[in-house]
C-alpha cells in the first residue's frame, strides 16, 4: 500500500516561507515535474504493450491458480483461510510487486448447532437433513454447516406457511386468501430480487416466528445435487461495530448490544434448507391452494400454502465473535502520476470452495498481475499507480473492502481514478457489465479488442454482446459486491464485469473446481476473455494521458432518470430545478469533451499543456464525488451517492416512491 494511503498526507512540513515565494516555488516544481515526466504517451508504444498483454494470456495458468485457490474451503476468519491469504500474497511478491497484508478485527458470525424436525399428529418425529447430499462429512472436508450469518439464536415451534419469495406482494396475496403468518414459521424460496436479510425482516414485521429458506436450483444446469445456499442476513455493509471508520485492532468500536448494531440484524432466526427437506415440508401443507403463478414458477412441487396439522421445530445456535480478516494489497507505482490510483479488486473469501464465487475472479486478477509484471520486464511503467486488492470477508457483507475504504477515505476521495471490480468472473455463457456511466464508452472500446471464445465464428466480445442484449450496461445501484463502498460511500467511478448471469451452485458446497471444469468454463477461455477486458480497462485508465471518462454518457443517463422520475410523479411536482441542473451538467460535459479533443490533437508537449491535462484529469476524476451528499441518505447515512441509490432505482422500481425506501 502506498505509505500515504493509510494516513492522509499532512501537507508540507518545512518551515513556511513568505506567501509569494511559496506559491512561486510550487508552480516551478509542478512545471518542472511535468516537463520531465508528462509527455503524451507514444500511441504506437501504448498499443504495443496492449497487444503484448493480450497475447500473453494463458488459460492453463489461470486454471492452475483456480485449482490451488479452491483446494479447500476458506471461509473468512477461519484457519484454512490463512493458506489462501498466503497464496495470494506470495504470488504478488514473487512478481516483484510491493505487497502488504492489511488486517482488520471485525465481527463475524459462525454456526454452533442447527436442527429442523417435523412433528406429526401421531407423535412421530422426522428430523430433516440440513447439509448437501453426496458431500463428504463436514468435519473431514473442512466445510462449515449451512447457515445464515448474523441470524439470532433461538428455538421456535409452530405451524408453517409458504410465503413464496417473501415479498410484500406475496404477503398481500396470502392475506387475500385469509392466511395469516403471525405466530407461524414461514418457508420461502429464494428469488424475487430481495436480499436474505430483507426477506427475514419482512417476515419478522408480519409476526413470523422464524424463516426457513431454500433455493430450487436446477439439476439440469449441472448441479451435482441440491445445494444449500449459505449467506448473510445482516443489513448494510461493513463491520457493524465500526460504522463509518476502519476496524483497526486497537480502535474504538461499538458494543454488540448497542442499538445501532442490533438494528443491522434480524430479530427472528432463519436457516437455509436443502431442496429435498423443503419439499417434505411443502408436501405437508394444507389450507388454501397456492396461486397458479406460484405453482408454475419454480421447481417445487407445491399445492397448498398452509398451514396444516404438522408442526415444525426449528433451532439455530450461532456465535458472533471478533475475528481477524486480511486484505492483500499489491502496488505498481505510477511513473508520471504516482498520486493517482487505478484500483482493481476481487474478494477472496468463500462460503465453501468458491470456484465461481469468488475465486474465478481471484484467479483472473492473479493472471492480470502476472501479465502486468511481464510488461514491466519489457520496459512498461504505468503513468498512474495501479493497486491490486484482494478483499476478505465480502460474503459477510463487503466487510474487508468497506473497512479499507473507510480507513483510506480521504486519500481515495482525492486520488482514486476508478475502481474495477470482478467478483464471479465466470458463472456461465454471455458477457455482462455494470458501471457508472462515464465509463460506458471505455468498456465498449475495450470489448471490441477482446475475442469472445463462445462464438462459432471469430467475433469480439462487443459483437457477441450486442447480439445478446444490445450492449446494455447495467447501473451499479446495489450493494452486492465490493464496488459498493467505493461508489456508494467514496464516490469513485466503478465497473463490475462477469461472464454468465446465474449459476445453480451459488453459495453451495458444489461450487468447486470440478463444477467449473465440467460446466461453467471447461477450457478457461471465458476466464481469458474476462482477464482481457479487465486488464485493458486497467491499462487505459492507468496510461491514457487524458482519462477516458466520458460525462456525455452520464448526462444522457441523468436525463433518462429524470424522465422516469417525471412519469412517476405524473406532473404533481415540478422538476424544473432538476432539469436545469442536468442541462448545466450536460454543457459542462460537452465542454470537457471538446477540451479533451483539443489537448490530444497537440503533437508537442510543453509546460502549459502538461498543467492543462492535469487540471482536466482532476475535473474528470472528481466529478463523481459531486453526487455525494455529506450527510448521506436519510435513515441510511453511510450511503452517500444520491444518483446511485435513488435515481437509478426510480428507473427500474417506481414503487420506491410509495415505500420510501431508497435502495
Amino acid at each position: 500500500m502506498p505509505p500515504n494511503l493509510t494516513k492522509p498526507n499532512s501537507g508540507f512540513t518545512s518551515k513556511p516561507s513568505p506567501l509569494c515565494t511559496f506559491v512561486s516555488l510550487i508552480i516551478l516544481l509542478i512545471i518542472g515535474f511535468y516537463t520531465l515526466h508528462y509527455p503524451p504517451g507514444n500511441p504506437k508504444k501504448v498499443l504495443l504493450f496492449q497487444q503484448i498483454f493480450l497475447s500473453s494470456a494463458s488459460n492453463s495458468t489461470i486454471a492452475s491458480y483456480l485449482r490451488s485457490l479452491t483446494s479447500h474451503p476458506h471461509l473468512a476468519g477461519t484457519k484454512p483461510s490463512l493458506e489462501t491469504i498466503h497464496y495470494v500474497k506470495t504470488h504478488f511478491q514473487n512478481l516483484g510487486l510491493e505487497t502488504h497484508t492489511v488486517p482488520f478485527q471485525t465481527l463475524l458470525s459462525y454456526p454452533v448447532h442447527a436442527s429442523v424436525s417435523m412433528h406429526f399428529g401421531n407423535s412421530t418425529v422426522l428430523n430433516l437433513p440440513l447439509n448437501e447430499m453426496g458431500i463428504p462429512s463436514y468435519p473431514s472436508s473442512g466445510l462449515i454447516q449451512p447457515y445464515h450469518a448474523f441470524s439470532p439464536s433461538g428455538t421456535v415451534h409452530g405451524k408453517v406457511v409458504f410465503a413464496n419469495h417473501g415479498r410484500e406482494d406475496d404477503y398481500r396475496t396470502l392475506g387475500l386468501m385469509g392466511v395469516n403468518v403471525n405466530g407461524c414459521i414461514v418457508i420461502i424460496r429464494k428469488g424475487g430480487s430481495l436480499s436474505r436479510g430483507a426477506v427475514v425482516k419482512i417476515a419478522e414485521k408480519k409476526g413470523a416466528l422464524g424463516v426457513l429458506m431454500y433455493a430450487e436450483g436446477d439439476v439440469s444446469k449441472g448441479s451435482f445435487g441440491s445445494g444449500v445456499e449459505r449467506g448473510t442476513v445482516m443489513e448494510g455493509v461493513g463491520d457493524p461495530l465500526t460504522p463509518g471508520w476502519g476496524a483497526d485492532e486497537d480502535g474504538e468500536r461499538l458494543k454488540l448490544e448497542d442499538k445501532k448494531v442490533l438494528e443491522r440484524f434480524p430479530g427472528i432466526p432463519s436457516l437455509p434448507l436443502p431442496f429435498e427437506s423443503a419439499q417434505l415440508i411443502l408436501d405437508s401443507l394444507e389450507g388454501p391452494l397456492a396461486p397458479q403463478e406460484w405453482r408454475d414458477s419454480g421447481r417445487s412441487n407445491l399445492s397448498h400454502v398452509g398451514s396444516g396439522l404438522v408442526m415444525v421445530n426449528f433451532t439455530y445456535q450461532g456465535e458472533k465473535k471478533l475475528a481477524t480478516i486480511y486484505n492483500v494489497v499489491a502496488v505498481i507505482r505510477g511513473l508520471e502520476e504516482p498520486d493517482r490510483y487505478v484500483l482493481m479488486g476481487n474478494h477472496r473469501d468463500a462460503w465453501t470452495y468458491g470456484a465461481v464465487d469468488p475465486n474465478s475472479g481471484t484467479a483472473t486478477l492473479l493472471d492480470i498481475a502476472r501479465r502486468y509484471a511481464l510488461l514491466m520486464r519489457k520496459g512498461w511503467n504505468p503513468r498512474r499507480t495501479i493497486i491490486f486488492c484482494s478483499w476478505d470477508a465480502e460474503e459477510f457483507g463487503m466487510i474487508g473492502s468497506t473497512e479499507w475504504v473507510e480507513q483510506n477515505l480521504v486519500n481515495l476521495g482525492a486520488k482514486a481514478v476508478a475502481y474495477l471490480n470482478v467478483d464471479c468472473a465466470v458463472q456461465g455463457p454471455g458477457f455482462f457489465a455494470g458501471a457508472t456511466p462515464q465509463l460506458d464508452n471505455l468498456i465498449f472500446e475495450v470489448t471490441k479488442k477482446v475475442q469472445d471464445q463462445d462464438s462459432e465464428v471469430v467475433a469480439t466480445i462487443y459483437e457477441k454482446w450486442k447480439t445478446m442484449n444490445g450492449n446494455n450496461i447495467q447501473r451499479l445501484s446495489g450493494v452486492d459486491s465490493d464496488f459498493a463502498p467505493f461508489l456508494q460511500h467514496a464516490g469513485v467511478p466503478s465497473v463490475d464485469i462477469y461472464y454468465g448471469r446465474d449459476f445453480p451452485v451459488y453459495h453451495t458446497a458444489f461450487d468447486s473446481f470440478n463444477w467449473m471444469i465440467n460446466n461453467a468454463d471447461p477450457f478457461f477461455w471465458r476466464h481469458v476473455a474476462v482477464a482481457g477486458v479487465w486488464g485493458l480497462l486497467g491499462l487505459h485508465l492507468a496510461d491514457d494521458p487524458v482519462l477516458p471518462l466520458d460525462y456525455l454518457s452520464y448526462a444522457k443517463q441523468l436525463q433518462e432518470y429524470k424522465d422516469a422520475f417525471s412519469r412517476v410523479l405524473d406532473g404533481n411536482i415540478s422538476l424544473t430545478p432538476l432539469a436545469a441542473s442536468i442541462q448545466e451538467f450536460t454543457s459542462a460535459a460537452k465542454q470537457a469533451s471538446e477540451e479533451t479533443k483539443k489537448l490530444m490533437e497537440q503533437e508537442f508537449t510543453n509546460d502549459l499543456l502538461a498543467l492543462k491535462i492535469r487540471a482536466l484529469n482532476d475535473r474528470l476524476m472528481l466529478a463523481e464525488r459531486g453526487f455525494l451528499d455529506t450527510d448521506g441518505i436519510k435513515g441510511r447515512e453511510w450511503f452517500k451517492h444520491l444518483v446511485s441509490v435513488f435515481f437509478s432505482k426510480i428507473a427500474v422500481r417506481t414503487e420506491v416512491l410509495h415505500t420510501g425506501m431508497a435502495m
Side-chain angles (χ1 to χ4, degrees):
M1 180 187 306
N4 64 351
L5 202 58
T6 302
K7 296 181 180 179
N9 240 338
S10 57
F12 295 94
T13 56
S14 57
K15 183 178 179 180
S17 57
L19 180 61
C20 183
T21 304
F22 178 79
V23 173
S24 299
L25 175 62
I26 295 303
I27 292 175
L28 288 172
L29 286 172
I30 293 174
I31 291 175
F33 177 82
Y34 284 103
T35 300
L36 292 172
H37 299 290
Y38 204 101
N42 183 329
K44 292 184 178 179
K45 196 170 184 180
V46 170
L47 182 60
L48 174 63
F49 283 129
Q50 291 178 8
Q51 291 172 340
I52 293 174
F53 172 80
L54 291 175
S55 65
S56 60
S58 171
N59 58 334
S60 61
T61 300
I62 299 177
S64 69
Y65 295 155
L66 186 63
R67 184 186 292 276
S68 297
L69 289 163
T70 58
S71 60
H72 54 74
H74 44 282
L75 184 62
T78 64
K79 286 185 179 180
S81 73
L82 297 176
E83 294 182 29
T84 318
I85 295 164
H86 177 73
Y87 181 83
V88 171
K89 180 181 179 182
T90 301
H91 176 81
F92 288 141
Q93 289 175 328
N94 289 343
L95 294 175
L97 304 184
E98 178 184 339
T99 307
H100 312 266
T101 53
V102 186
F104 292 105
Q105 194 170 58
T106 68
L107 186 71
L108 299 184
S109 166
Y110 303 98
V112 176
H113 169 75
S115 65
V116 177
S117 57
M118 298 175 66
H119 296 251
F120 298 88
N122 59 4
S123 298
T124 60
V125 176
L126 176 63
N127 293 314
L128 299 181
L130 301 182
N131 300 334
E132 283 99 346
M133 297 181 182
I135 292 292
S137 61
Y138 279 60
S140 63
S141 65
L143 288 166
I144 291 179
Q145 68 184 82
Y147 75 112
H148 285 161
F150 299 109
S151 168
S153 299
T155 296
V156 295
H157 185 80
K159 294 183 177 182
V160 179
V161 172
F162 176 71
N164 198 28
H165 297 307
R167 303 166 298 193
E168 290 282 357
D169 283 349
D170 295 324
Y171 286 102
R172 279 193 287 269
T173 299
L174 288 174
L176 293 173
M177 298 165 63
V179 178
N180 188 351
V181 303
N182 187 53
C184 296
I185 296 169
V186 294
I187 184 167
I188 290 167
R189 59 179 167 194
K190 278 292 271 87
S193 76
L194 287 179
S195 68
R196 293 174 209 86
V199 167
V200 180
K201 284 275 190 179
I202 293 173
E204 179 185 356
K205 186 175 67 173
K206 302 299 181 183
L209 300 177
V211 176
L212 297 173
M213 201 176 300
Y214 69 96
E216 293 183 310
D218 188 345
V219 176
S220 67
K221 290 185 179 179
S223 175
F224 300 143
S226 292
V228 187
E229 184 184 307
R230 298 142 179 87
T232 182
V233 291
M234 182 179 71
E235 188 176 273
V237 300
D239 175 33
L241 302 184
T242 59
W245 66 92
D248 296 323
E249 185 176 3
D250 300 321
E252 181 182 359
R253 49 182 38 88
L254 302 178
K255 299 292 184 182
L256 184 57
E257 60 273 13
D258 189 287
K259 182 181 178 182
K260 288 186 177 180
V261 177
L262 294 177
E263 288 174 348
R264 300 278 298 273
F265 312 136
I268 59 175
S270 64
L271 195 68
L273 287 180
F275 175 80
E276 293 82 1
S277 295
Q279 187 63 64
L280 289 173
I281 295 176
L282 295 176
D283 288 342
S284 74
L285 298 182
E286 299 178 4
L289 285 173
Q292 192 65 45
E293 180 186 353
W294 292 11
R295 283 183 273 169
D296 294 342
S297 62
R299 178 180 159 214
S300 308
N301 181 19
L302 177 68
S303 295
H304 302 271
V305 296
S307 56
L309 297 177
V310 176
M311 305 288 285
V312 167
N313 195 79
F314 158 33
T315 295
Y316 172 74
Q317 293 178 359
E319 63 172 344
K320 300 181 182 73
K321 64 179 183 180
L322 286 177
T324 302
I325 64 172
Y326 298 89
N327 296 331
V328 181
V329 178
V331 179
I332 301 176
R333 292 190 179 274
L335 188 63
E336 284 86 10
E337 296 183 84
D339 60 340
R340 293 294 179 262
Y341 308 142
V342 176
L343 302 111
M344 306 176 70
N346 156 268
H347 78 91
R348 183 187 60 252
D349 64 297
W351 289 112
T352 62
Y353 300 97
V356 174
D357 183 9
N359 296 130
S360 62
T362 310
T364 305
L365 184 69
L366 297 184
D367 193 60
I368 291 172
R370 175 189 67 83
R371 291 198 252 171
Y372 281 6
L374 174 63
L375 295 185
M376 293 173 70
R377 292 195 295 272
K378 293 183 178 295
W380 170 76
N381 282 290
R383 178 182 298 273
R384 304 175 186 94
T385 294
I386 296 173
I387 304 176
F388 295 107
C389 308
S390 175
W391 309 118
D392 205 352
E394 187 269 358
E395 297 293 8
F396 287 88
M398 278 62 73
I399 291 180
S401 57
T402 298
E403 298 312 305
W404 193 81
V405 167
E406 290 175 344
Q407 184 187 65
N408 297 289
L409 188 60
V410 173
N411 280 289
L412 291 171
K415 302 171 183 178
V417 171
Y419 173 67
L420 309 178
N421 186 72
V422 171
D423 191 327
C424 306
V426 179
Q427 305 175 53
F431 180 78
F432 295 88
T436 45
Q438 73 275 62
L439 287 157
D440 287 358
N441 289 336
L442 177 60
I443 293 173
F444 293 148
E445 178 183 345
V446 163
T447 53
K448 291 175 181 177
K449 299 178 181 178
V450 181
Q451 282 193 336
D452 181 88
Q453 301 295 335
D454 289 341
S455 300
E456 295 181 0
V457 297
V458 177
T460 65
I461 289 178
Y462 180 87
E463 291 167 335
K464 181 67 177 290
W465 182 21
K466 186 176 182 179
T467 63
M468 183 178 64
N469 65 6
N471 302 121
N472 178 45
I473 296 180
Q474 303 163 23
R475 295 301 166 222
L476 303 177
S477 57
V479 290
D480 52 351
S481 194
D482 290 301
F483 59 78
F486 286 92
L487 177 60
Q488 310 285 12
H489 195 65
V492 177
S494 298
V495 169
D496 188 44
I497 60 174
Y498 49 98
Y499 251 77
R501 175 72 73 176
D502 300 300
F503 62 108
V505 296
Y506 174 69
H507 285 190
T508 75
F510 297 110
D511 184 9
S512 64
F513 185 81
N514 282 340
W515 191 87
M516 177 64 74
I517 62 175
N518 283 290
N519 298 279
D521 197 12
F523 301 105
F524 283 80
W525 290 121
R526 290 170 182 161
H527 283 77
V528 169
V530 172
V533 174
W534 196 5
L536 285 183
L537 288 172
L539 289 177
H540 276 284
L541 288 163
D543 280 340
D544 287 6
V546 177
L547 289 173
L549 304 177
D550 180 9
Y551 282 91
L552 288 172
S553 295
Y554 218 128
K556 180 182 178 182
Q557 183 70 81
L558 289 173
Q559 184 63 45
E560 291 175 0
Y561 289 160
K562 194 273 294 182
D563 292 343
F565 194 27
S566 179
R567 290 192 292 272
V568 173
L569 295 175
D570 198 23
N572 294 322
I573 299 176
S574 173
L575 295 181
T576 300
L578 178 60
S581 295
I582 293 174
Q583 183 58 48
E584 186 177 351
F585 182 90
T586 303
S587 297
K590 290 179 179 178
Q591 181 180 343
S593 180
E594 292 169 0
E595 189 175 344
T596 296
K597 291 178 183 178
K598 289 179 181 179
L599 290 175
M600 294 308 296
E601 286 171 357
Q602 299 190 37
E603 296 182 5
F604 302 100
T605 186
N606 56 54
D607 300 342
L608 184 58
L609 175 62
L611 290 173
K612 284 183 177 180
I613 291 176
R614 173 73 168 193
L616 173 60
N617 281 339
D618 282 355
R619 283 153 49 204
L620 294 171
M621 180 184 72
L622 297 174
E624 189 74 45
R625 318 301 195 255
F627 295 113
L628 298 180
D629 186 307
T630 304
D631 296 329
I633 307 300
K634 186 176 180 181
R636 308 180 66 201
E637 285 73 18
W638 186 90
F639 296 89
K640 300 183 182 300
H641 199 292
L642 296 176
V643 172
S644 168
V645 300
F646 183 65
F647 280 107
S648 60
K649 279 300 181 184
I650 286 293
V652 296
R653 287 182 59 195
T654 56
E655 64 264 30
V656 167
L657 200 63
H658 305 293
T659 63
M661 296 173 63
M663 179 183 166

